[in-house]
Amino acid sequence: MMGHVYVFDHPLIQHKLTYIRDKRTGTKEFRELVEEVSALMAYEITRDMPLEEVTVETPVAPAKCKVLSGKKLGLVPILRAGLGMVDGILRLIPTAKVGHLGLYRDPETLEPVQYYSKMPSDIGERELIVIDPMLATGGSAAAALRILKEMGARNMKLMCLIAAPEGIERVHREHDDVDIYVAAVDEKLNEKSYIVPGLGDAGDRLFGTK
Ligand code: URA
């Protein structure tokens, strides 16, 4: 099996992503746009959710209708930039549980190390959407997926705003069971592992730090 990459080319997503990339976009607008794009991506990513039939009484007659068949979702933002996408997704899927995963890069080994995690107790039964807005080298996303598998996760999707080819390759080399959902695949990484052209540092732009 090989994981797939799905690029969401919906015009609204692409339009908003352009303003997210623009360096003139300030923190408030950046955050709002990331939330909006995340909601639109959630709409696309949930396209395959199973439905079941129920009957309701309309004022006129009984109607056979569909409701979501109770598949349990979990969102797992990788701290800190992943937080910026959570509220937009929760707007569409308000009952999803949210687990948090904090990773930092060890300055010597350059490997991602977990410093925080708090997950729903039943992650093994949930479909998890792991959220990492910038898939650059893929190091932290691949580590997050490995850590979550060790915790019992079995069914995961990776959701990013922008990916570099290097990040996609790394995630799929280590996790060929995980599909990746992105708004754009950019050209490359620069010498500081920033995505080119990308949008800069997603965490700094979301939270106004630098
Ligand atoms: N993380 C970011 O926030 N931006 C990049 O370009 C790469 C990693």
Side-chain angles (χ1 to χ4, degrees), residues 27 80 201-210:
T27 304
R80 139 185 91 128
D201 187 293
D204 282 344
R205 294 198 63 193
L206 277 166
F207 297 112
T209 49
K210 206 154 170 61

Side-chain angles (χ1 to χ4, degrees), residues 134 136 193-195 198-203:
M134 304 299 280
S193 295
Y194 275 86
I195 298 177
L199 52 72
D201 187 293

Side-chain angles (χ1 to χ4, degrees), residues 10-94:
H10 191 289
L12 287 174
I13 294 177
Q14 294 305 314
H15 176 86
K16 289 174 195 294
L17 184 62
T18 300
Y19 292 97
I20 289 173
R21 289 181 185 277
D22 191 331
K23 69 178 184 188
R24 296 170 302 182
T25 301
T27 304
K28 172 178 182 287
E29 202 188 345
F30 184 91
R31 200 182 294 136
E32 288 167 358
L33 286 164
V34 168
E35 269 186 38
E36 287 170 21
V37 166
S38 306
L40 292 165
M41 290 183 74
Y43 178 78
E44 297 275 17
I45 212 169
T46 50
R47 201 172 270 286
D48 63 353
M49 281 173 88
L51 294 167
E52 64 189 14
E53 202 167 86
V54 294
T55 305
V56 294
E57 299 276 341
T58 81
V60 179
K64 282 191 179 146
C65 304
K66 304 271 173 55
V67 291
L68 294 170
S69 70
K71 191 158 195 186
K72 293 176 169 180
L73 275 178
L75 311 180
V76 183
I78 303 177
L79 303 179
R80 139 185 91 128
L83 291 175
M85 297 182 77
V86 171
D87 284 351
I89 304 171
L90 285 177
R91 232 185 282 157
L92 288 202
I93 319 169

